Amino acid sequence: MTEREFEELVSDALDTIPTELAEAMNNVVVLVDGHHPEEPDLLGLYEGVALTDRDTMYAGALPDTITIYREPLLAMCSDRDQVIDEVAITVVHEIAHHFGIDDAWLHAHGWG
């Protein structure tokens, strides 16, 4: 799968986010990268201040980032359909962190 095709899958996964949630996302950018430099098996990463933790001191902050890592996702999947599913799960998982939802809840509800 080419980098462009993978980026399109991430975009498609973002398009499945319900409108109400997409509109509630604030000051966050979604990126695609090959792999995390220190944790090469990491599928995605949210870096920033969750919406539930923001206060008046947050004003003027740089955007939070959600990074989806292409290489480990492709390595764990055996076919295109599995890549599509895993990308969607990873995108939802990282967006959930933006909304303040922790890993324990996500794993308990099948989004881990």
Side-chain angles (χ1 to χ4, degrees):
M1 176 175 293
T2 68
E3 289 179 23
R4 180 155 175 84
E5 289 172 320
F6 187 87
E7 289 172 0
E8 288 175 6
L9 292 181
V10 171
S11 179
D12 291 346
L14 288 167
D15 288 344
T16 68
I17 302 300
T19 304
E20 303 81 28
L21 291 179
E23 289 174 354
M25 292 175 63
N26 184 278
N27 201 32
V28 62
V29 62
V30 178
L31 308 170
V32 174
D33 201 354
H35 65 274
H36 189 277
E38 296 171 14
E39 296 181 58
D41 295 330
L42 194 62
L43 305 179
L45 180 65
Y46 170 74
E47 296 176 285
V49 179
L51 294 175
T52 54
D53 294 332
R54 294 181 184 179
D55 59 19
T56 57
M57 299 303 293
Y58 182 79
L62 292 174
D64 295 357
T65 59
I66 292 173
T67 306
I68 307 300
Y69 296 109
R70 182 183 65 259
E71 293 167 13
L73 279 161
L74 292 175
M76 72 180 284
C77 298
S78 58
D79 60 36
R80 183 177 177 82
D81 288 338
Q82 191 176 15
V83 173
I84 292 168
D85 291 342
E86 291 300 329
V87 165
I89 290 168
T90 304
V91 167
V92 168
H93 181 103
E94 300 309 328
I95 288 173
H97 288 318
H98 177 65
F99 285 99
I101 300 171
D102 65 17
D103 279 330
W105 190 95
L106 289 165
H107 286 274
H109 291 86
W111 295 100

